[in-house]
Amino acid sequence: MANITAILRAEKKKKDGTCPIVFRFYHKKNYFFSSGKSVKESLWDFDKKLVKGSHPLSRELNNLFESKLLAVNRYIIDCEAFGAPINPDQVRVIISGENPYSFFLFADKHLERVKQSNYTTYIKERSIKNKIFNITGELLLSQITPSKLEDIMIKLAEIPNNPNTVAKAIDYMRMIYNYAIREGAASPAMNPFNAIRVRREPSEKERLSKEEIALLEDIRPSLKDMEKLACDMFLFSYYCMGMRFRDIYAFEKSMIGNGTIVYTMNKNRKRVYIPIHSKLQVLISEYILLPGKYLFPLGQKEHAGMQQVYTAVSSRNAVFNRNLKFAALKAGITKQIHFHIARHSFADNLRKSGADPITAMNAIQHSDISTTQKYFASMDQEGMKKVVEMIYGT
């Protein structure tokens, strides 16, 4: 078991008659780290491992040694609690007065928690963590400074990554750093993220207009097999206020009843109630009598864990996106369409119909109004074009 103590190296006596006080750290073998202090052998209590009271600075020296020993012991306990390896080099860092905690220690701990609740988010965060690690290597919290963050942003951009991808990586680092603050491993007063600005570029989300949705509605009866199923599922998502593919994959017929669809969103576990309108009823009627408990026949199985569910959903999503593009082309839609665009399209058409952000937030089931506002902002390029035309003309 790792342990540390302060000792006097009497065999290393200096010319002035004093002996160095060092920290002896044991972890599989002995390591000796200098305290930078020395006293005469007669002023050292070998039993208590303290400077004797007869030394004029005994209290100050003993308090210094005690604080270092406490910091190292806390590091040992935390490593054992987190299941992290004990690193003698980090003990040296503690004794020098720096923060010994690894950024990736907290990143991995956070990943394990996310993995238990949302495997999709786990995959995304793991990818960002690995991207940062490939740039920085091992990184202590104390090494994260505004200049270090700027260097990371430059290297991310050189890979290359677009500004929004770089911003997401820095946002991830900020989240992990704040997590370390809550765990007491970093000081909020020294938070380096307060001193940086991250540039983002406005992005316009792809979406379909009401007229383009009508084109899919018109073409669907003539489509066959997988193209029709993909088109119908896209329209089902649009009719259900932007239901995500993961929720459609798991959508059971038992969730339909008394003129209402009731289901729990996989992403944020919100309970959603959707009135069944006429267009939605047409789709439901075509699939409700098919065998099986799921509304859409996607070969669903009872999976053993979240990883298997993630793999199954991802593979089917890719297949349906490909067939959805073929269906869209047959409808005369040349946009780069994919399944999640149903959610963007619903939000945009709701905005164009005059809905305010609060109404839209409740319809789309966002957890935070700021997310809805970002949706609206990214979809309001048309509004800006109209303003320019009003003032300057075409």
Side-chain angles (χ1 to χ4, degrees):
M1 182 177 177
N3 61 74
I4 188 167
T5 186
I7 65 169
L8 187 79
R9 299 294 297 269
E11 74 280 10
K12 301 284 186 179
K13 186 179 292 187
K14 301 178 182 180
K15 291 181 179 180
D16 63 0
T18 62
C19 303
I21 301 170
V22 302
F23 295 100
R24 182 174 61 195
F25 175 68
Y26 177 78
H27 179 58
K28 299 179 181 178
K29 67 176 185 177
N30 282 319
Y31 300 85
F32 297 93
F33 304 123
S34 173
S35 71
K37 307 296 179 183
S38 59
V39 297
K40 290 184 178 181
E41 187 174 352
S42 60
L43 294 175
W44 180 257
D45 189 324
F46 285 89
D47 293 328
K48 295 181 179 179
K49 297 180 176 58
L50 295 172
V51 177
K52 291 181 179 179
S54 54
H55 190 288
L57 296 176
S58 61
R59 179 176 296 180
E60 289 83 353
L61 290 171
N62 288 331
N63 285 342
L64 173 66
F65 301 149
E66 183 181 8
S67 67
K68 301 293 185 184
L69 292 171
L70 284 173
V72 172
N73 281 317
R74 180 186 174 189
Y75 166 71
I76 293 170
I77 292 170
D78 283 349
C79 284
E80 292 172 346
F82 296 159
I86 295 171
N87 187 341
D89 287 336
Q90 294 209 26
V91 174
R92 188 192 304 275
V93 170
I94 300 173
I95 292 171
S96 70
E98 295 182 37
N99 187 326
Y101 290 100
S102 165
F103 169 83
F104 295 105
L105 174 71
F106 290 93
D108 288 338
K109 185 181 178 187
H110 186 267
L111 274 176
E112 283 303 309
R113 296 176 64 177
V114 171
K115 187 177 182 180
Q116 303 305 316
S117 58
N118 192 314
Y119 197 81
T120 302
T121 301
Y122 163 76
I123 292 294
K124 292 177 180 177
E125 288 193 8
R126 187 181 66 181
S127 174
I128 297 173
K129 188 209 84 167
N130 291 340
K131 185 181 295 186
I132 295 167
F133 183 82
N134 288 338
I135 290 174
T136 66
E138 186 56 75
L139 182 66
L140 299 182
L141 291 173
S142 58
Q143 294 174 323
I144 303 177
T145 62
S147 60
K148 181 68 173 180
L149 290 170
E150 289 173 1
D151 181 59
I152 292 171
M153 285 190 281
I154 290 170
K155 289 179 178 177
L156 282 168
E158 289 174 346
I159 287 176
N161 288 295
N162 66 49
N164 293 340
T165 301
V166 173
K168 285 180 181 178
I170 299 303
D171 286 343
Y172 171 77
M173 291 188 70
R174 186 196 310 271
M175 177 186 69
I176 298 301
Y177 195 92
N178 288 336
Y179 177 53
I181 289 175
R182 293 194 298 273
E183 293 285 313
S187 169
M190 301 296 290
N191 191 331
F193 293 90
N194 295 335
I196 65 165
R197 294 174 65 88
V198 182
R199 183 173 69 88
R200 287 177 170 81
E201 289 183 348
S203 59
E204 188 174 354
K205 293 183 181 295
E206 189 69 274
R207 71 273 191 189
L208 302 186
S209 65
K210 289 182 179 179
E211 292 73 22
E212 288 168 323
I213 293 293
L215 290 175
L216 288 177
E217 292 170 338
D218 291 340
I219 198 69
R220 61 173 293 272
S222 64
L223 297 172
K224 294 182 179 180
D225 303 327
M226 294 293 287
E227 289 179 12
K228 183 176 187 300
L229 181 59
C231 182
D232 287 350
M233 289 172 60
F234 182 89
L235 290 171
F236 184 83
S237 170
Y238 180 80
Y239 295 155
C240 290
M241 303 182 186
M243 187 184 293
R244 295 180 177 87
F245 187 89
R246 170 70 178 83
D247 294 319
I248 291 181
Y249 174 85
F251 189 87
E252 299 181 9
K253 296 171 183 176
S254 60
M255 298 173 183
I256 304 168
N258 299 321
T260 306
I261 283 174
V262 182
Y263 78 101
T264 301
M265 294 176 69
N266 178 70
K267 186 170 184 177
N268 55 21
R269 310 312 299 168
K270 282 190 174 184
R271 195 76 165 160
V272 183
Y273 300 83
I274 301 172
I276 298 177
H277 48 85
S278 58
K279 290 185 176 182
L280 184 53
Q281 184 60 58
V282 170
L283 274 181
I284 291 173
S285 298
E286 289 194 23
Y287 292 91
I288 195 73
L289 296 179
L290 295 178
K293 70 175 183 177
Y294 297 101
L295 182 64
F296 295 103
L298 305 177
Q300 296 94 331
K301 298 178 181 179
E302 295 297 328
H303 299 289
M306 286 187 289
Q307 183 172 356
Q308 290 186 5
V309 173
Y310 175 83
T311 302
V313 172
S314 297
S315 61
R316 285 164 177 77
N317 198 359
V319 170
F320 277 87
N321 280 337
R322 185 166 60 251
N323 283 279
L324 180 61
K325 289 176 183 178
F326 293 145
L329 287 172
K330 289 181 179 179
I333 300 170
T334 58
K335 292 179 178 178
Q336 293 298 310
I337 189 171
H338 55 79
F339 198 88
H340 200 70
I341 285 176
R343 188 167 177 82
H344 297 170
S345 303
F346 171 77
D348 189 43
N349 290 328
L350 186 62
R351 176 186 66 84
K352 289 178 178 176
S353 298
D356 60 90
I358 295 295
T359 301
M361 181 186 76
N362 292 330
I364 306 170
Q365 293 296 315
H366 282 153
S367 298
D368 193 317
I369 186 62
S370 64
T371 306
T372 312
Q373 289 170 331
K374 289 176 183 176
Y375 252 66
F376 273 36
S378 68
M379 294 172 173
D380 204 21
Q381 302 301 313
E382 275 182 28
M384 290 299 99
K385 290 176 184 176
K386 289 179 180 178
V387 169
V388 171
E389 289 173 5
M390 288 170 60
I391 298 177
Y392 304 109
T394 56

